[in-house]
Tab-separated table of all heavy atoms in Angstrom:
chain	number	residue	atom	x	y	z
A	1	ARG	N	57.470	-57.052	36.851
A	1	ARG	CA	57.236	-55.978	37.812
A	1	ARG	C	57.029	-56.613	39.180
A	1	ARG	O	56.399	-57.657	39.301
A	1	ARG	CB	55.987	-55.173	37.454
A	1	ARG	CG	56.048	-54.472	36.142
A	1	ARG	CD	56.890	-53.212	36.308
A	1	ARG	NE	57.127	-52.606	35.027
A	1	ARG	CZ	56.750	-51.386	34.710
A	1	ARG	NH1	56.103	-50.651	35.579
A	1	ARG	NH2	57.036	-50.905	33.531
A	2	ARG	N	57.545	-55.933	40.155
A	2	ARG	CA	57.444	-56.458	41.514
A	2	ARG	C	56.868	-55.359	42.411
A	2	ARG	O	57.292	-54.218	42.332
A	2	ARG	CB	58.825	-56.854	41.989
A	2	ARG	CG	58.880	-57.499	43.316
A	2	ARG	CD	60.298	-57.926	43.622
A	2	ARG	NE	60.377	-58.391	44.994
A	2	ARG	CZ	61.391	-59.044	45.472
A	2	ARG	NH1	62.432	-59.303	44.711
A	2	ARG	NH2	61.393	-59.434	46.719
A	3	SER	N	55.916	-55.761	43.247
A	3	SER	CA	55.312	-54.792	44.163
A	3	SER	C	56.269	-54.490	45.306
A	3	SER	O	57.246	-55.203	45.516
A	3	SER	CB	54.001	-55.350	44.735
A	3	SER	OG	54.272	-56.390	45.650
A	4	GLU	N	55.947	-53.440	46.017
A	4	GLU	CA	56.697	-53.167	47.234
A	4	GLU	C	56.342	-54.241	48.250
A	4	GLU	O	55.266	-54.824	48.220
A	4	GLU	CB	56.329	-51.796	47.783
A	4	GLU	CG	56.831	-50.669	46.901
A	4	GLU	CD	56.601	-49.315	47.556
A	4	GLU	OE1	56.619	-49.235	48.807
A	4	GLU	OE2	56.419	-48.357	46.814
A	5	GLN	N	57.264	-54.477	49.149
A	5	GLN	CA	57.006	-55.481	50.188
A	5	GLN	C	56.064	-54.903	51.240
A	5	GLN	O	56.089	-53.707	51.532
A	5	GLN	CB	58.299	-55.929	50.854
A	5	GLN	CG	59.113	-56.851	49.990
A	5	GLN	CD	60.225	-57.536	50.764
A	5	GLN	OE1	60.574	-57.143	51.859
A	5	GLN	NE2	60.774	-58.571	50.160
A	6	VAL	N	55.240	-55.794	51.757
A	6	VAL	CA	54.332	-55.430	52.837
A	6	VAL	C	54.558	-56.426	53.970
A	6	VAL	O	54.850	-57.600	53.729
A	6	VAL	CB	52.856	-55.428	52.362
A	6	VAL	CG1	52.426	-56.809	51.925
A	6	VAL	CG2	51.933	-54.900	53.430
A	7	THR	N	54.465	-55.938	55.197
A	7	THR	CA	54.628	-56.806	56.364
A	7	THR	C	53.259	-57.232	56.855
A	7	THR	O	52.378	-56.403	57.067
A	7	THR	CB	55.379	-56.072	57.489
A	7	THR	OG1	56.668	-55.684	56.997
A	7	THR	CG2	55.547	-56.960	58.710
A	8	VAL	N	53.080	-58.541	57.007
A	8	VAL	CA	51.832	-59.105	57.515
A	8	VAL	C	52.136	-59.709	58.883
A	8	VAL	O	53.049	-60.516	59.022
A	8	VAL	CB	51.282	-60.192	56.563
A	8	VAL	CG1	50.065	-60.871	57.165
A	8	VAL	CG2	50.973	-59.598	55.202
A	9	LYS	N	51.365	-59.295	59.881
A	9	LYS	CA	51.518	-59.855	61.226
A	9	LYS	C	50.209	-60.537	61.601
A	9	LYS	O	49.183	-59.900	61.727
A	9	LYS	CB	51.843	-58.769	62.249
A	9	LYS	CG	52.004	-59.329	63.655
A	9	LYS	CD	52.649	-58.325	64.575
A	9	LYS	CE	52.682	-58.746	66.008
A	9	LYS	NZ	53.229	-60.009	66.325
A	10	VAL	N	50.275	-61.856	61.741
A	10	VAL	CA	49.107	-62.631	62.134
A	10	VAL	C	49.060	-62.641	63.658
A	10	VAL	O	50.030	-63.019	64.300
A	10	VAL	CB	49.175	-64.078	61.587
A	10	VAL	CG1	47.969	-64.879	62.025
A	10	VAL	CG2	49.313	-64.063	60.074
A	11	GLN	N	47.930	-62.191	64.192
A	11	GLN	CA	47.783	-62.145	65.641
A	11	GLN	C	46.910	-63.293	66.112
A	11	GLN	O	45.951	-63.662	65.439
A	11	GLN	CB	47.177	-60.816	66.074
A	11	GLN	CG	48.099	-59.649	65.761
A	11	GLN	CD	47.522	-58.334	66.230
A	11	GLN	OE1	46.331	-58.190	66.414
A	11	GLN	NE2	48.394	-57.365	66.423
A	12	GLY	N	47.248	-63.828	67.250
A	12	GLY	CA	46.485	-64.930	67.811
A	12	GLY	C	45.176	-64.468	68.426
A	12	GLY	O	45.044	-63.335	68.869
A	13	VAL	N	44.222	-65.369	68.433
A	13	VAL	CA	42.939	-65.125	69.091
A	13	VAL	C	43.078	-65.601	70.531
A	13	VAL	O	43.486	-66.739	70.777
A	13	VAL	CB	41.799	-65.882	68.371
A	13	VAL	CG1	40.490	-65.724	69.113
A	13	VAL	CG2	41.678	-65.410	66.927
A	14	PRO	N	42.752	-64.743	71.513
A	14	PRO	CA	42.875	-65.161	72.915
A	14	PRO	C	42.009	-66.386	73.222
A	14	PRO	O	40.940	-66.570	72.649
A	14	PRO	CB	42.379	-63.945	73.704
A	14	PRO	CG	42.496	-62.800	72.756
A	14	PRO	CD	42.295	-63.373	71.385
A	15	VAL	N	42.493	-67.199	74.139
A	15	VAL	CA	41.747	-68.376	74.583
A	15	VAL	C	40.548	-67.913	75.398
A	15	VAL	O	40.680	-67.081	76.290
A	15	VAL	CB	42.636	-69.307	75.436
A	15	VAL	CG1	41.838	-70.460	76.007
A	15	VAL	CG2	43.801	-69.821	74.622
A	16	SER	N	39.362	-68.465	75.073
A	16	SER	CA	38.158	-68.151	75.845
A	16	SER	C	37.156	-69.281	75.709
A	16	SER	O	37.288	-70.149	74.847
A	16	SER	CB	37.532	-66.834	75.377
A	16	SER	OG	37.088	-66.950	74.041
A	17	GLY	N	36.153	-69.261	76.568
A	17	GLY	CA	35.105	-70.273	76.515
A	17	GLY	C	35.599	-71.661	76.865
A	17	GLY	O	35.217	-72.645	76.240
A	18	VAL	N	36.435	-71.760	77.901
A	18	VAL	CA	36.960	-73.066	78.323
A	18	VAL	C	35.856	-73.805	79.076
A	18	VAL	O	35.204	-73.237	79.951
A	18	VAL	CB	38.212	-72.900	79.202
A	18	VAL	CG1	38.765	-74.253	79.616
A	18	VAL	CG2	39.271	-72.093	78.473
A	19	SER	N	35.622	-75.054	78.699
A	19	SER	CA	34.568	-75.828	79.353
A	19	SER	C	35.032	-77.255	79.629
A	19	SER	O	35.990	-77.729	79.040
A	19	SER	CB	33.296	-75.844	78.496
A	19	SER	OG	33.552	-76.470	77.259
A	20	LEU	N	34.303	-77.905	80.547
A	20	LEU	CA	34.593	-79.275	80.948
A	20	LEU	C	33.436	-80.185	80.593
A	20	LEU	O	32.280	-79.793	80.711
A	20	LEU	CB	34.753	-79.357	82.464
A	20	LEU	CG	36.070	-78.976	83.089
A	20	LEU	CD1	35.987	-79.136	84.599
A	20	LEU	CD2	37.178	-79.817	82.556
A	21	ALA	N	33.749	-81.397	80.208
A	21	ALA	CA	32.760	-82.465	80.054
A	21	ALA	C	33.224	-83.610	80.938
A	21	ALA	O	34.430	-83.808	81.125
A	21	ALA	CB	32.668	-82.913	78.602
A	22	VAL	N	32.275	-84.344	81.494
A	22	VAL	CA	32.629	-85.419	82.413
A	22	VAL	C	31.856	-86.681	82.049
A	22	VAL	O	30.708	-86.622	81.620
A	22	VAL	CB	32.362	-85.011	83.888
A	22	VAL	CG1	30.911	-84.693	84.125
A	22	VAL	CG2	32.866	-86.070	84.854
A	23	GLN	N	32.521	-87.816	82.215
A	23	GLN	CA	31.896	-89.116	81.998
A	23	GLN	C	32.215	-89.976	83.199
A	23	GLN	O	33.399	-90.159	83.486
A	23	GLN	CB	32.442	-89.751	80.712
A	23	GLN	CG	31.741	-90.978	80.260
A	23	GLN	CD	30.278	-90.705	79.893
A	23	GLN	OE1	29.879	-89.597	79.604
A	23	GLN	NE2	29.464	-91.717	79.937
A	24	PRO	N	31.295	-90.450	83.973
A	24	PRO	CA	29.848	-90.401	83.765
A	24	PRO	C	29.288	-88.992	84.022
A	24	PRO	O	29.876	-88.213	84.780
A	24	PRO	CB	29.297	-91.398	84.780
A	24	PRO	CG	30.343	-91.517	85.827
A	24	PRO	CD	31.652	-91.216	85.165
A	25	PRO	N	28.156	-88.682	83.353
A	25	PRO	CA	27.538	-87.362	83.496
A	25	PRO	C	27.217	-87.046	84.956
A	25	PRO	O	26.904	-87.932	85.743
A	25	PRO	CB	26.250	-87.482	82.676
A	25	PRO	CG	26.496	-88.609	81.721
A	25	PRO	CD	27.417	-89.554	82.448
A	26	GLY	N	27.325	-85.785	85.308
A	26	GLY	CA	27.015	-85.350	86.669
A	26	GLY	C	28.204	-85.363	87.603
A	26	GLY	O	28.144	-84.821	88.689
A	27	GLY	N	29.289	-86.015	87.226
A	27	GLY	CA	30.486	-86.033	88.060
A	27	GLY	C	30.414	-86.951	89.256
A	27	GLY	O	31.233	-86.854	90.158
A	28	GLN	N	29.439	-87.876	89.279
A	28	GLN	CA	29.374	-88.863	90.361
A	28	GLN	C	29.791	-90.216	89.814
A	28	GLN	O	29.298	-90.652	88.781
A	28	GLN	CB	27.966	-88.955	90.936
A	28	GLN	CG	27.584	-87.760	91.755
A	28	GLN	CD	26.306	-87.991	92.522
A	28	GLN	OE1	25.581	-88.951	92.296
A	28	GLN	NE2	26.015	-87.100	93.447
A	29	VAL	N	30.696	-90.857	90.537
A	29	VAL	CA	31.217	-92.142	90.097
A	29	VAL	C	31.384	-93.033	91.325
A	29	VAL	O	31.690	-92.551	92.418
A	29	VAL	CB	32.560	-91.960	89.344
A	29	VAL	CG1	33.622	-91.355	90.222
A	29	VAL	CG2	33.036	-93.241	88.717
A	30	ALA	N	31.131	-94.321	91.143
A	30	ALA	CA	31.323	-95.281	92.238
A	30	ALA	C	32.815	-95.535	92.427
A	30	ALA	O	33.582	-95.550	91.462
A	30	ALA	CB	30.597	-96.588	91.927
A	31	GLU	N	33.206	-95.735	93.671
A	31	GLU	CA	34.602	-96.015	93.976
A	31	GLU	C	35.060	-97.227	93.175
A	31	GLU	O	34.366	-98.236	93.091
A	31	GLU	CB	34.763	-96.270	95.473
A	31	GLU	CG	36.199	-96.236	95.926
A	31	GLU	CD	36.323	-96.174	97.436
A	31	GLU	OE1	35.387	-96.609	98.135
A	31	GLU	OE2	37.357	-95.698	97.908
A	32	GLY	N	36.222	-97.100	92.522
A	32	GLY	CA	36.774	-98.172	91.703
A	32	GLY	C	36.412	-98.064	90.237
A	32	GLY	O	37.000	-98.736	89.397
A	33	ASP	N	35.428	-97.219	89.900
A	33	ASP	CA	35.027	-97.048	88.502
A	33	ASP	C	35.866	-95.975	87.823
A	33	ASP	O	36.569	-95.200	88.460
A	33	ASP	CB	33.539	-96.683	88.402
A	33	ASP	CG	32.631	-97.885	88.636
A	33	ASP	OD1	33.149	-99.015	88.760
A	33	ASP	OD2	31.404	-97.681	88.704
A	34	ARG	N	35.751	-95.922	86.507
A	34	ARG	CA	36.506	-94.994	85.668
A	34	ARG	C	35.817	-93.632	85.627
A	34	ARG	O	34.599	-93.543	85.509
A	34	ARG	CB	36.601	-95.581	84.265
A	34	ARG	CG	37.427	-94.798	83.303
A	34	ARG	CD	37.547	-95.608	81.989
A	34	ARG	NE	37.901	-94.741	80.912
A	34	ARG	CZ	37.038	-94.155	80.087
A	34	ARG	NH1	35.750	-94.366	80.216
A	34	ARG	NH2	37.465	-93.368	79.131
């Protein structure tokens, strides 16, 4: 026995909560440093 076909549509989750991390902390760096 076979069931009727069903259509499944997977929807994406919108992008949210974008954040930044920085090294060195605080975003201050000496000239020439990484």
